Amino acid sequence: MEDPTASNVTPPANSSSSSSQIIPSPSMKVSLESRINRLINANQSPSPSRSIYSDRFIPSRSGSNFALFDLVSPSPSKEDGAGSYATLLRAAMFGPETPEKQDITGFSSSRNIFRFKTETNRCLNSFSPFVSDGDGPGVSHTPIKALRKVSRSPYKVLDAPALQDDFYLNLVDWSAQNVLAVGLGNCVYLWNACSSKVTKLCDLGADDSVCSVGWAFRGTHLAVGTSSGKVQIWDASRCKRTRTMEGHRLRVGALAWGSSVLSSGSRDKSILQRDIRCQEDHVSKLSGHKSEVCGLKWSYDNRELASGGNDNRLFVWNQHSTQPVLKYSEHTAAVKAIAWSPHVHGLLASGGGTADRCIRFWNTTTNTHLSSIDTCSQVCNLAWSKNVNELVSTHGYSQNQIIVWKYPTMSKIATLTGHTYRVLYLAVSPDGQTIVTGAGDETLRFWNVFPSPKSQNTDSEIGSSFFGRTTIR
């Protein structure tokens, strides 16, 4: 058991333990240590008028030689032993007090100099015992790459009345000519991203409605899928319908253009391949899905077609097959979100609905399932960036968010919110920097999410000159 009086014993003034109470930093020179010890031990004697109760000896400064360190002598007023001691020690070790050395926390200099404070931004190499703060000859330091910042707010919002809240439809597409097509009710509207001009392309009438839209590669012709099972082809430059093709018995909710083929997916479970150069409405019929086809995408080399359905299946077809060459059944909900990577041949991403919530990656060349990530929300759309190896996903229940991912780590670059309903529609601008999202809240929101191919800090030319909120019709 400890002696309760042990802390009240005052060691002799000239004992060796008194000089060991100040433990200098290992980085201090020996000469400085000896000079400080002489300063502390000079002319010390215990005061006979009072008893000192302390766990260590605090010497009197009254007889010290302050000129030894060019220090200012203390005022003749009554001395505060602990405060004066800390002030003198600070001055001896670190030099006179200057504004640059004042503590930003506002504490006075008489406080303990070894208190906690905010960490300073110091180079990591400066803590190494083998590297000095200055850069030596031949030494180079690689700067840490800053994370790319993505604006959390849309730069433009368009009101889109009658934009349907239907998971199985595809009502938004962006052309190579920088024109956005949107299906609203029984009409299709075009919005020019350069001039903000809105044009009404077509009106299907009261007995029909728009279920899907899809631009051809050159951006001059638009395919429109209808609730009656027909597919119309429109010349957007002249606002003229050039062809109507039949073949489906139920609504056409998915469209995808290949090099010379237009594919249409329907609620009747079939996919029709159409060559608009031929007189026939379709040249082949693909069968395999057991429920509505809601996702269709051709690969960038136009050799493979991926299809997703409400039967929770993901199929891959080649140019000549009428049966799927690859079948994937790992999803546990409808597969609408499908995207081919523009960077890696055969890399396919797919997303599942509310009961699944996962984004899965496949290598169609080796027929392997690469990875999967649970997003905790219904996956409505997927799109790859053509400028960097990233992709964006839009979500429904329950968070209605937009997420930008870094591939292959699948680390989140940004999470964007603003829509109050499921984010069911997604399209990417022709420069690859901007996306537009649509939801059942009847708004279209424009976001700058991807960098340009040359610089990751360059703003999109599309999004730099348009702000505010307007209507698309």
Side-chain angles (χ1 to χ4, degrees):
M1 184 173 180
E2 294 186 7
D3 184 358
T5 64
S7 62
N8 295 332
V9 178
T10 303
N14 296 326
S15 66
S16 61
S17 62
S18 65
S19 63
S20 63
Q21 301 306 314
I22 299 176
I23 303 176
S25 169
S27 64
M28 296 178 59
K29 296 182 179 179
V30 177
S31 59
L32 178 59
E33 178 183 16
S34 61
R35 294 170 72 183
I36 292 177
N37 286 336
R38 289 205 307 269
L39 172 64
I40 294 175
N41 295 322
N43 300 323
Q44 298 177 4
S45 61
S47 173
S49 61
R50 59 174 179 171
S51 297
I52 299 175
Y53 297 94
S54 173
D55 61 346
R56 63 179 182 174
F57 175 63
I58 306 299
S60 172
R61 306 267 69 83
S62 58
S64 298
N65 184 8
F66 294 100
L68 183 62
F69 290 100
D70 296 325
L71 300 177
V72 180
S73 299
S75 61
S77 60
K78 184 175 180 180
E79 182 178 274
D80 179 3
S84 300
Y85 174 76
T87 302
L88 292 173
L89 182 60
R90 178 193 291 270
M93 296 181 66
F94 305 111
E97 189 75 16
T98 61
E100 291 77 16
K101 296 180 181 179
Q102 290 179 354
D103 193 345
I104 60 173
T105 60
F107 287 90
S108 65
S109 59
S110 63
R111 297 287 187 91
N112 183 6
I113 63 173
F114 299 111
R115 62 180 174 270
F116 290 102
K117 63 186 296 184
T118 305
E119 183 180 0
T120 57
N121 294 327
R122 187 177 179 187
C123 177
L124 293 177
N125 290 330
S126 65
F127 294 100
S128 171
F130 308 106
V131 181
S132 62
D133 288 341
D135 290 342
V139 178
S140 62
H141 300 287
T142 303
I144 299 175
K145 188 176 181 181
L147 293 176
R148 179 167 58 85
K149 294 183 179 179
V150 177
S151 175
R152 264 53 175 183
S153 301
Y155 70 82
K156 188 175 185 64
V157 179
L158 290 177
D159 287 324
L163 185 61
Q164 296 188 58
D165 183 29
D166 192 328
F167 177 81
Y168 302 99
L169 305 185
N170 294 273
L171 297 176
V172 177
D173 199 19
W174 208 327
S175 78
Q177 301 296 324
N178 210 7
V179 177
L180 187 71
V182 184
L184 300 178
N186 54 8
C187 300
V188 175
Y189 290 86
L190 306 180
W191 180 77
N192 191 304
C194 297
S195 63
S196 292
K197 180 182 178 181
V198 178
T199 303
K200 184 178 180 179
L201 178 66
C202 65
D203 188 336
L204 302 182
D207 297 331
D208 210 346
S209 62
V210 180
C211 296
S212 56
V213 295
W215 286 101
F217 289 128
R218 294 182 179 179
T220 56
H221 287 76
L222 180 72
V224 179
T226 70
S227 60
S228 62
K230 298 178 181 179
V231 176
Q232 300 180 1
I233 307 296
W234 287 78
D235 184 341
S237 60
R238 297 184 298 163
C239 291
K240 182 179 180 180
R241 185 178 62 190
T242 60
R243 188 168 181 180
T244 299
M245 295 175 286
E246 299 182 353
H248 290 296
R249 296 179 288 104
L250 300 173
R251 70 179 184 184
V252 180
L255 295 168
W257 287 87
S259 55
S260 59
V261 175
L262 171 63
S263 303
S264 60
S266 171
R267 183 178 268 181
D268 64 10
K269 312 172 188 176
S270 68
I271 301 171
L272 297 182
Q273 305 283 54
R274 310 173 186 272
D275 190 338
I276 60 175
R277 300 169 298 180
C278 302
Q279 290 185 341
E280 294 81 4
D281 284 344
H282 61 274
V283 295
S284 63
K285 182 177 180 179
L286 311 183
S287 301
H289 284 287
K290 304 300 182 182
S291 188
E292 179 173 10
V293 179
C294 51
L296 278 178
K297 282 289 170 56
W298 278 97
S299 62
Y300 281 86
D301 59 7
N302 294 308
R303 293 183 177 181
E304 294 178 300
L305 174 68
S307 66
N310 197 28
D311 54 1
N312 310 343
R313 298 293 187 266
L314 174 67
F315 293 158
V316 178
W317 321 70
N318 62 29
Q319 292 174 309
H320 309 290
S321 66
T322 57
Q323 294 292 322
V325 293
L326 298 176
K327 298 180 180 181
Y328 301 118
S329 57
E330 280 78 357
H331 284 292
T332 57
V335 183
K336 176 192 177 185
I338 299 173
W340 291 92
S341 171
H343 310 289
V344 180
H345 175 73
L347 177 57
L348 176 64
S350 60
T354 306
D356 182 78
R357 307 175 305 179
C358 291
I359 298 175
R360 299 180 182 273
F361 296 91
W362 319 84
N363 187 330
T364 60
T365 303
T366 60
N367 190 22
T368 55
H369 180 206
L370 300 177
S371 62
S372 173
I373 182 170
D374 188 349
T375 67
C376 302
S377 268
Q378 176 188 42
V379 184
C380 301
N381 294 279
L382 288 169
W384 289 86
S385 167
K386 65 180 182 180
N387 302 332
V388 291
N389 201 15
E390 299 172 2
L391 70 159
V392 61
S393 60
T394 71
H395 300 268
Y397 302 124
S398 59
Q399 302 179 38
N400 304 328
Q401 79 275 40
I402 303 158
I403 303 177
V404 183
W405 308 86
K406 181 69 176 178
Y407 188 82
T409 62
M410 290 305 287
S411 56
K412 292 183 181 180
I413 298 175
T415 299
L416 312 176
T417 57
H419 285 291
T420 56
Y421 281 67
R422 298 179 296 173
V423 189
L424 298 176
Y425 310 112
L426 170 69
V428 183
S429 64
D431 67 0
Q433 300 180 57
T434 303
I435 64 170
V436 59
T437 57
D441 57 12
E442 299 186 344
T443 64
L444 297 172
R445 297 172 186 263
F446 295 78
W447 318 76
N448 287 322
V449 297
F450 295 130
S452 66
K454 295 182 180 179
S455 172
Q456 295 192 8
N457 297 320
T458 302
D459 292 334
S460 170
E461 295 180 358
I462 297 173
S464 59
S465 58
F466 298 104
F467 298 91
R469 180 166 181 155
T470 56
T471 181
I472 199 170
R473 71 174 187 183

